[in-house]
Amino acid sequence: MSDSTEQPEYPPELSEEQGLFLTSQILDWQINHGSLLKRVQTQTDHSVLSHPIGVTVFPTLFPRAQFHRALELQSIYNELYCAVAQDEQWIFEAIQDLLPIDPLAAVLWNVHQQVQKAGYSQPVSAGIFRSDYMLHADRPSDLLRNPEVSLKQVEFNTFSCAGGSHADKVVKMHRYLARTGAYEDSVQLSALPQNDNIEQLADCLAAAHTAYGGKSDTAVLFIVQPNNFNIADERPIEYALWNREQPVPAYRLDFGDVLECTSLAGTGELLFHPPWLSKTVEISVVYMRAGYEAHEYDETGIAARVRLEASLAIKCPSLLAHICTFKKIQHALTGAGVLERFISEEKAAFIRSTFVKMYSLNESDARRLATDPILSKDYILKPSLEGGGHNVFGDAIPDFLASIPESSWGAYILMERIPSPLVMNVLLSSLGIDSGEVISELGIFGTCLWKQGEMLQNSVAGWSFKTKHEDVDEMNVVKGYGCFDTPLLI
Amino acid sequence: MSDSTEQPEYPPELSEEQGLFLTSQILDWQINHGSLLKRVQTQTDHSVLSHPIGVTVFPTLFPRAQFHRALELQSIYNELYCAVAQDEQWIFEAIQDLLPIDPLAAVLWNVHQQVQKAGYSQPVSAGIFRSDYMLHADRPSDLLRNPEVSLKQVEFNTFSCAGGSHADKVVKMHRYLARTGAYEDSVQLSALPQNDNIEQLADCLAAAHTAYGGKSDTAVLFIVQPNNFNIADERPIEYALWNREQPVPAYRLDFGDVLECTSLAGTGELLFHPPWLSKTVEISVVYMRAGYEAHEYDETGIAARVRLEASLAIKCPSLLAHICTFKKIQHALTGAGVLERFISEEKAAFIRSTFVKMYSLNESDARRLATDPILSKDYILKPSLEGGGHNVFGDAIPDFLASIPESSWGAYILMERIPSPLVMNVLLSSLGIDSGEVISELGIFGTCLWKQGEMLQNSVAGWSFKTKHEDVDEMNVVKGYGCFDTPLLI
């Protein structure tokens, strides 16, 4: 009469043969479908090595209701951030404390002011956003036996959102394993949602290309970081653009080469002069996959960003939408009545239900929580930068704050940790294979096109699902701290 | 008034930027599309490295007429080899000299006799063949200025024909480069033929599966070599079977595990007991991608092959068709009037036009050519084994023959070298990037299904095109001596 007789364990215990079979199916599938990371340090002029990106061996349990709730939320989040991105004054107030202490915020605001002076020439913006959530369990419990949990937002990314292509492929991999019987009875194909990020993200860029005029001699320009090990996340979107029934030309350009390889026409068009082709190409859409780190903005970087922003090309996203990726914006939106400034009351309530408590370290309450070794356990200290990798967790916060000048505390946001339900899985990556308790993060991709406050297009594109061991703080798959995954909906 | 003003050089001279652009487009495309080789020596239980397979930077010039001629020849070659494969007595006579000296021939004939005694239970056979050709130029000349050449057969492969998936992908890569303008005006997309080997080879196995009965609880079994670095050539066919509208289940099994993981039902069905699944699967089709090297036939290997051949499963190919891959068969078919034993006079004449002179070393003429350091220059000495890697070229032949006992000379065939026209290209592989004179080999894939002499299906599936530097003797892309390529039809 124990629980286990009613509910089989998940994932099932594997024999040695079963484990070897699954990992060999997975690694071969990854090699054959570009689910890989380039080892850039091995790159020569003629070859380069790759290794499979981290993936879960099984899909991870996730409540179906919360999955659909996250999808439903996305078009409201898109609407919210498009509205915020039009409100220069509100943005300035939300981030002004950052400007003296955060070099990236300062440089972006400075670029904004420079372009503003001459006037932005392109009223249309495109957005590829990603809202990240975790499951919140009121009390520690096994998800399989007590799926009563809620959805809490970790962060909202407006700039250079990665992982779309990898997520797309890993879902197809888990679905392949399920439909070929590799999981036997433990995974039903119908419980694995489909995902078409690659096509959907390309659709967004193609729609922006059309909004620009859609001429076949104009092109989308991906602004990228040099020597990128993660080309398997960027390139598929480029291929999808070229592969459309009406092909959309797409090129790549290192952010550092923008000044040298582009020019502005007298009438504002962004002209691309690829040094490897004998022609000049007018750029319809600038898709930013670089320019999110302060070190990219030396004098050349600043001038490059000014040129891109000043041009007639549609930016994905606009500069103000980029700034909305700062945690200070996420924090400011949690203020009383703030959401209602941008969206309807009903929508605001829905969005607000995903918020956890966030504090600025200007508040004395927050300082008390953050400097207390006991109280700080329930919090994460986040810098206002995009993406992970810079967060400070729990009882490490007091020592960290003590190590930096108090004048720079204002760059950080203190955020409640999200207590997760218990789920198990087996994680496979270049670092090893391990089973145990895991924590997942669901990211929903939203794409949109807007013109000075008016939404021209608003779509839920797809999603990413990432899982790490419960005892690892950071979720960063490309650096090895986690795996791409698929929710097994229950 | 020089030639060069009328005919631009091909391939065009590249600037450094153009070279870097093309190789970066190529390597990224390969990583994203599984145009890779596994580095098996890096394999662990959780990861493995891969590197891009060798490819040409440009497609290589090839006469359109000869390309279509090769395609036309294939259904006749299919018919010929299916007929030969039914003629046990003729095969025996062609290879009997081999039996005392060639261990692989001996073991295969022995397996045939064992199975013959009990009687073959499956009258239907499937074939995935590949006929390889080179261009023959009567006098040394530049192909671009003098495309008057003919097509000569290098060899005919009936067993475990590789390269189909790689060829499919590399063609798609060159077509991608052409349609995205990476070659500018030097390559027209319309001059690059399409290729769908992966779907076509899967179609052949699916047709055999249907001929067996087509039940969804039966499956195709790929018999493979362990730790294969070339899974990117095998796996796509497996995926294509699972991905069909009516999925055809496909599994892999190491040749060395056949005895342990299969059994014969009392009524002859081949039953597969995958140790990683809790079920038994009846096998409809055995697709051999292993068992072509003598060392695979220890006692277990022989018993495994006997079990497979004795079973009711349709073999791709049958054992006698396997034996037809020996060079002795190719040689025997060049004998006066021999083709007419199997196919019509008209077809025989067409086939014969692709033959070069071949000699057995039993003939005194051949011995004189092979042992003379001057005369031997125009010849290649080939063992009766499948595939490349064991050939002896030109003036190395006399010394080689002197180094082995004369009693084993009978295992070799002496074949006229095919003088090729001059063509240029740039080759890219893990070994380096180099431009210069190249020689290409066109392989045409033919698939068929036959029942005791009656052709049930006869198709031209697709092709592979491989190119190596003119001064390299061996064509073996997976070992680095050459590149996958696409013909640029002129």
Side-chain angles (χ1 to χ4, degrees):
Chain A
M1 289 292 288
S2 80
D3 257 16
S4 59
T5 59
E6 295 164 23
Q7 190 77 273
E9 280 312 311
Y10 184 85
E13 194 85 39
L14 296 178
S15 69
E16 195 188 335
E17 280 93 354
Q18 288 171 323
L20 286 172
F21 168 69
L22 272 176
T23 54
S24 128
Q25 292 291 100
I26 287 172
L27 295 174
D28 280 4
W29 196 97
Q30 293 190 274
I31 291 171
N32 279 286
H33 294 83
S35 177
L36 300 169
L37 292 173
K38 214 192 234 186
R39 295 221 162 161
V40 280
Q41 69 277 22
T42 67
Q43 181 128 28
T44 62
D45 64 345
H46 57 271
S47 198
V48 63
L49 296 177
S50 307
H51 68 262
I53 198 165
V55 297
T56 58
V57 171
F58 288 86
T60 299
L61 298 173
F62 197 88
R64 187 182 295 268
Q66 301 304 328
F67 179 76
H68 289 294
R69 193 145 178 269
L71 292 173
E72 270 170 53
L73 281 159
Q74 191 58 37
S75 59
I76 310 177
Y77 264 119
N78 288 348
E79 187 187 335
L80 169 65
Y81 273 80
C82 292
V84 172
Q86 291 305 119
D87 197 335
E88 185 200 11
Q89 188 55 33
W90 186 87
I91 293 173
F92 176 71
E93 281 163 23
I95 65 155
Q96 61 181 330
D97 290 351
L98 267 188
L99 300 180
I101 43 178
D102 184 308
L104 183 62
V107 86
L108 293 179
W109 194 256
N110 173 269
V111 170
H112 167 62
Q113 287 181 307
Q114 281 189 54
V115 180
Q116 182 81 308
K117 214 175 286 172
Y120 283 98
S121 56
Q122 177 54 259
V124 176
S125 291
I128 293 180
F129 301 150
R130 201 190 67 227
S131 185
D132 292 338
Y133 305 93
M134 284 170 62
L135 290 178
H136 178 288
D138 282 327
R139 53 191 174 84
S141 67
D142 182 336
L143 183 64
L144 197 55
R145 292 178 178 77
N146 178 24
E148 291 306 310
V149 289
S150 61
L151 205 62
K152 294 297 175 187
Q153 188 181 50
V154 178
E155 63 184 11
F156 192 89
N157 304 284
T158 63
F159 194 76
S160 202
C161 297
S165 299
H166 283 302
D168 182 315
K169 290 185 176 184
V170 171
V171 173
K172 290 179 172 62
M173 180 192 80
H174 282 129
R175 290 180 56 89
Y176 160 78
L177 293 170
R179 76 192 153 80
T180 60
Y183 295 130
E184 301 212 83
D185 294 334
S186 61
V187 175
Q188 299 304 314
L189 182 60
S190 58
L192 298 177
Q194 309 225 29
N195 199 355
D196 281 305
N197 288 328
I198 296 171
E199 285 303 322
Q200 298 283 331
L201 301 192
D203 278 355
C204 170
L205 297 172
H209 176 78
T210 303
Y212 185 82
K215 284 177 292 175
S216 67
D217 57 353
T218 63
V220 176
L221 187 62
F222 287 46
I223 305 292
V224 298
Q225 291 193 331
N227 306 315
N228 193 342
F229 61 97
N230 202 13
I231 48 105
D233 198 52
E234 294 174 358
R235 288 285 200 178
I237 305 170
E238 209 183 312
Y239 301 141
L241 285 168
W242 281 107
N243 288 344
R244 294 171 71 84
E245 207 170 321
Q246 295 290 329
V248 174
Y251 298 94
R252 298 163 68 78
L253 181 61
D254 283 356
F255 188 47
D257 295 334
V258 165
L259 276 195
E260 204 179 307
C261 299
T262 68
S263 63
L264 282 188
T267 41
E269 291 85 359
L270 182 65
L271 303 178
F272 175 42
H273 316 284
W276 54 83
L277 293 179
S278 56
K279 63 176 176 182
T280 287
V281 185
E282 181 184 338
I283 297 305
S284 54
V285 181
V286 169
Y287 176 38
M288 299 296 292
R289 295 290 297 239
Y292 49 82
E293 291 175 314
H295 73 81
E296 295 173 88
Y297 291 96
D298 56 7
E299 209 176 312
T300 311
I302 293 174
R305 190 71 192 263
V306 168
R307 181 178 297 168
L308 297 175
E309 297 301 327
S311 80
L312 257 177
I314 293 175
K315 269 70 69 184
C316 180
S318 70
L319 185 53
L320 285 179
H322 179 176
I323 294 173
C324 289
T325 217
F326 281 87
K327 301 285 180 299
K328 283 280 185 192
I329 300 288
Q330 189 187 359
H331 172 239
L333 288 172
T334 63
V338 173
L339 289 177
E340 285 79 358
R341 178 185 175 103
F342 301 108
I343 51 176
S344 73
E345 263 181 51
E346 192 190 357
K347 289 174 177 173
F350 194 18
I351 289 284
R352 194 171 282 124
S353 72
T354 66
F355 289 172
V356 295
K357 285 207 185 100
M358 295 180 78
Y359 303 93
S360 159
L361 285 187
N362 299 333
E363 304 163 44
S364 61
D365 269 8
R367 287 176 174 246
R368 191 174 52 84
L369 295 171
T371 52
D372 183 310
I374 306 292
L375 296 175
S376 65
K377 278 195 175 28
D378 294 334
Y379 292 86
I380 303 173
L381 188 70
K382 296 188 168 186
S384 239
L385 293 170
E386 186 275 340
H390 306 276
N391 299 337
V392 184
F393 292 82
D395 54 12
I397 298 174
D399 284 352
F400 174 79
L401 287 176
S403 76
I404 60 171
E406 213 170 313
S407 59
S408 66
W409 288 17
Y412 292 85
I413 292 294
L414 191 71
M415 192 170 167
E416 218 179 6
R417 287 187 94 147
I418 302 169
S420 299
L422 175 67
V423 198
M424 308 288 286
N425 207 340
V426 186
L427 307 190
L428 180 75
S429 80
S430 62
L431 303 178
I433 178 166
D434 266 308
S435 60
E437 290 183 33
V438 297
I439 292 179
S440 302
E441 199 172 290
L442 175 65
I444 307 292
F445 282 95
T447 59
C448 46
L449 212 60
W450 72 98
K451 186 177 181 174
Q452 291 169 324
E454 181 199 354
M455 294 293 279
L456 305 178
Q457 194 171 305
N458 181 353
S459 307
V460 184
W463 42 272
S464 72
F465 191 63
K466 294 182 280 193
T467 295
K468 61 177 178 63
H469 282 296
E470 180 271 334
D471 57 357
V472 170
D473 281 328
E474 290 288 350
M475 178 77 81
N476 191 325
V477 182
V478 294
K479 291 185 180 159
Y481 308 122
C483 290
F484 279 100
D485 192 358
T486 304
L488 178 64
L489 300 181
I490 53 171
Chain B
M1 291 290 289
S2 80
D3 259 15
S4 60
T5 60
E6 295 164 25
Q7 191 76 273
E9 282 308 313
Y10 184 85
E13 194 85 37
L14 295 179
S15 69
E16 196 189 335
E17 279 94 355
Q18 288 171 323
L20 286 173
F21 168 69
L22 273 176
T23 53
S24 129
Q25 292 292 100
I26 288 171
L27 295 174
D28 280 3
W29 196 96
Q30 293 188 275
I31 291 171
N32 279 286
H33 294 83
S35 177
L36 300 170
L37 292 173
K38 214 191 236 188
R39 295 221 162 161
V40 280
Q41 69 276 23
T42 68
Q43 181 129 27
T44 61
D45 65 346
H46 58 271
S47 199
V48 62
L49 296 177
S50 307
H51 68 263
I53 197 165
V55 297
T56 59
V57 172
F58 289 87
T60 299
L61 298 172
F62 197 90
R64 186 182 297 267
Q66 301 305 327
F67 179 77
H68 288 294
R69 194 148 175 265
L71 292 173
E72 270 170 53
L73 282 159
Q74 191 58 36
S75 59
I76 309 177
Y77 264 119
N78 287 349
E79 186 186 336
L80 169 64
Y81 273 81
C82 292
V84 172
Q86 291 305 118
D87 197 334
E88 185 201 11
Q89 187 56 32
W90 185 87
I91 293 173
F92 176 72
E93 281 163 23
I95 64 155
Q96 62 181 330
D97 290 351
L98 268 188
L99 300 180
I101 44 178
D102 183 307
L104 183 62
V107 87
L108 293 180
W109 194 257
N110 172 271
V111 170
H112 166 63
Q113 287 181 308
Q114 281 189 54
V115 180
Q116 182 81 307
K117 213 174 286 170
Y120 283 97
S121 56
Q122 177 53 260
V124 176
S125 291
I128 294 181
F129 301 150
R130 200 190 67 228
S131 184
D132 292 338
Y133 306 93
M134 284 169 62
L135 290 178
H136 178 287
D138 282 329
R139 53 192 172 85
S141 67
D142 181 338
L143 182 64
L144 198 55
R145 291 177 178 79
N146 179 24
E148 291 307 309
V149 290
S150 61
L151 204 62
K152 294 295 175 190
Q153 188 181 51
V154 177
E155 62 184 13
F156 192 89
N157 304 285
T158 64
F159 194 75
S160 201
C161 297
S165 299
H166 283 303
D168 183 315
K169 291 187 176 184
V170 172
V171 173
K172 289 179 172 64
M173 180 192 81
H174 283 129
R175 289 180 56 88
Y176 160 77
L177 293 171
R179 75 191 154 81
T180 60
Y183 296 131
E184 302 213 81
D185 295 334
S186 62
V187 174
Q188 300 303 314
L189 182 61
S190 58
L192 298 177
Q194 309 224 31
N195 199 355
D196 281 306
N197 287 329
I198 296 171
E199 285 304 320
Q200 298 283 331
L201 301 191
D203 277 356
C204 170
L205 297 172
H209 177 78
T210 302
Y212 185 82
K215 284 177 290 175
S216 66
D217 57 352
T218 64
V220 175
L221 187 62
F222 287 46
I223 305 293
V224 298
Q225 291 193 332
N227 307 315
N228 192 343
F229 62 98
N230 203 14
I231 48 103
D233 198 52
E234 293 174 359
R235 287 285 199 178
I237 304 169
E238 208 182 315
Y239 301 142
L241 286 168
W242 281 108
N243 288 344
R244 294 171 71 85
E245 207 170 321
Q246 294 289 330
V248 175
Y251 297 94
R252 300 164 67 77
L253 181 61
D254 283 357
F255 188 47
D257 295 334
V258 165
L259 275 196
E260 204 179 307
C261 299
T262 68
S263 64
L264 283 188
T267 40
E269 291 84 359
L270 182 65
L271 302 179
F272 175 41
H273 316 284
W276 54 84
L277 293 179
S278 56
K279 63 177 177 181
T280 286
V281 185
E282 180 183 341
I283 297 305
S284 55
V285 181
V286 169
Y287 176 39
M288 298 296 292
R289 294 289 297 240
Y292 48 82
E293 292 176 313
H295 73 81
E296 295 174 87
Y297 292 96
D298 55 8
E299 208 175 312
T300 311
I302 293 173
R305 189 71 192 261
V306 167
R307 180 177 299 168
L308 297 176
E309 297 300 327
S311 81
L312 255 179
I314 294 175
K315 269 69 69 185
C316 179
S318 71
L319 184 54
L320 285 179
H322 179 176
I323 295 172
C324 289
T325 215
F326 282 87
K327 300 285 179 301
K328 283 279 185 193
I329 300 289
Q330 189 187 0
H331 172 239
L333 289 172
T334 64
V338 174
L339 290 177
E340 286 78 358
R341 178 186 175 102
F342 301 107
I343 51 177
S344 73
E345 263 182 53
E346 192 190 358
K347 289 175 178 174
F350 194 19
I351 289 283
R352 195 171 281 123
S353 71
T354 66
F355 288 172
V356 295
K357 286 205 183 102
M358 294 181 78
Y359 303 92
S360 160
L361 284 187
N362 299 334
E363 305 163 42
S364 61
D365 270 7
R367 287 173 174 250
R368 191 173 51 83
L369 295 170
T371 52
D372 183 310
I374 305 292
L375 296 175
S376 65
K377 277 197 175 25
D378 294 333
Y379 292 86
I380 303 172
L381 188 71
K382 297 187 168 187
S384 240
L385 292 170
E386 186 275 339
H390 306 275
N391 298 337
V392 185
F393 292 83
D395 53 13
I397 298 172
D399 285 352
F400 174 80
L401 286 176
S403 76
I404 61 171
E406 212 168 313
S407 60
S408 66
W409 288 17
Y412 292 85
I413 290 295
L414 191 71
M415 190 170 169
E416 219 180 4
R417 288 187 94 147
I418 303 170
S420 296
L422 174 67
V423 198
M424 309 287 286
N425 207 341
V426 186
L427 307 190
L428 179 76
S429 80
S430 62
L431 302 178
I433 176 166
D434 266 307
S435 60
E437 291 182 32
V438 297
I439 292 178
S440 301
E441 201 171 290
L442 174 66
I444 307 292
F445 282 95
T447 58
C448 46
L449 211 61
W450 73 97
K451 186 177 180 175
Q452 290 168 324
E454 180 200 355
M455 294 294 277
L456 304 178
Q457 194 170 306
N458 182 353
S459 307
V460 184
W463 41 272
S464 71
F465 191 63
K466 293 182 278 192
T467 295
K468 62 177 177 64
H469 282 296
E470 179 272 333
D471 57 357
V472 170
D473 281 329
E474 289 287 351
M475 178 77 80
N476 192 325
V477 183
V478 294
K479 290 186 180 158
Y481 309 123
C483 290
F484 279 101
D485 193 358
T486 305
L488 178 65
L489 301 180
I490 53 172

